[in-house]
Amino acid sequence: ASSGDPTFVRFPRPLLPDAPLDFSFSGLKTAVLHHLKRQPDLDAYLAEHRADVCASFQAAVVEVLVTKLIRAAKAQRVGQIVLAGGVASNRGLRSALTAAAERAGLRLTIPRPEFCTDNAAMIAMSGRLKLAAGRRDGLELEAVPNWPLPRFEPAE
């Protein structure tokens, strides 16, 4: 995406008016799929425009993430926001959020990229807590993306 043209394709921005802080990127993903299916020679199209399609997709996602984060910060009347986790490694998001936070008068904290990792540590901690609580599951366990995490009480 970093070498592509973010204006090459104007993908939809999924801003849900009745749920102003919720996220749903299914329509955006479907728009990308339909855009690609409309190409008569997909291999040739992607050979020439892969970076442009990626940049256009990223632009749509970043715009929604930044818009909703700034909206949430204003709604909650907070003066500082933090961008962390694996997504915080994305240079496009870091740049757009830095500019938007400045315009909104918000302090923004973003860890250095080497500290912006995915959820592996969180998942490992969740597993440790479940194991300590006597929970064991076999390999037939199905993935549950919104499985609640146990409450963590730090030792005193």
Side-chain angles (χ1 to χ4, degrees):
S2 64
S3 65
D5 175 3
T7 64
F8 183 73
V9 181
R10 175 69 183 172
F11 289 123
R13 274 43 175 179
L15 298 169
L16 308 170
D18 52 338
L21 299 179
D22 289 356
F23 292 93
S24 175
F25 291 106
S26 61
L28 174 59
K29 292 186 293 186
T30 300
V32 173
L33 178 65
H34 288 306
H35 174 77
L36 295 176
K37 283 184 173 184
R38 283 194 300 271
Q39 305 312 314
D41 184 348
L42 183 58
D43 290 335
Y45 180 79
L46 288 176
E48 186 174 349
H49 298 294
R50 180 183 311 268
D52 298 324
V53 173
C54 291
S56 298
F57 175 79
Q58 176 178 279
V61 170
V62 165
E63 184 178 328
V64 171
L65 291 175
V66 168
T67 298
K68 292 197 176 207
L69 179 54
I70 299 297
R71 186 181 291 164
K74 288 179 179 179
Q76 295 299 311
R77 296 186 178 102
V78 299
Q80 180 170 359
I81 54 178
V82 176
L83 179 64
V87 71
S89 292
N90 183 284
R91 290 185 304 258
L93 179 58
R94 292 170 80 95
S95 176
L97 187 56
T98 298
E102 187 175 311
R103 284 191 305 273
L106 296 167
R107 286 181 296 135
L108 173 63
T109 301
I110 308 175
R112 292 193 318 255
E114 60 266 27
F115 298 118
C116 296
T117 59
D118 213 342
N119 292 338
M122 180 192 72
I123 297 303
M125 184 64 179
S126 173
R128 181 185 173 278
L129 294 172
K130 288 181 184 296
L131 185 63
R135 177 79 186 259
R136 287 174 173 66
D137 294 298
L139 294 177
E140 69 282 354
L141 179 69
E142 297 206 16
V144 181
N146 56 355
W147 202 339
L149 296 175
R151 184 173 169 88
F152 177 70
E153 298 292 338
E156 297 206 21

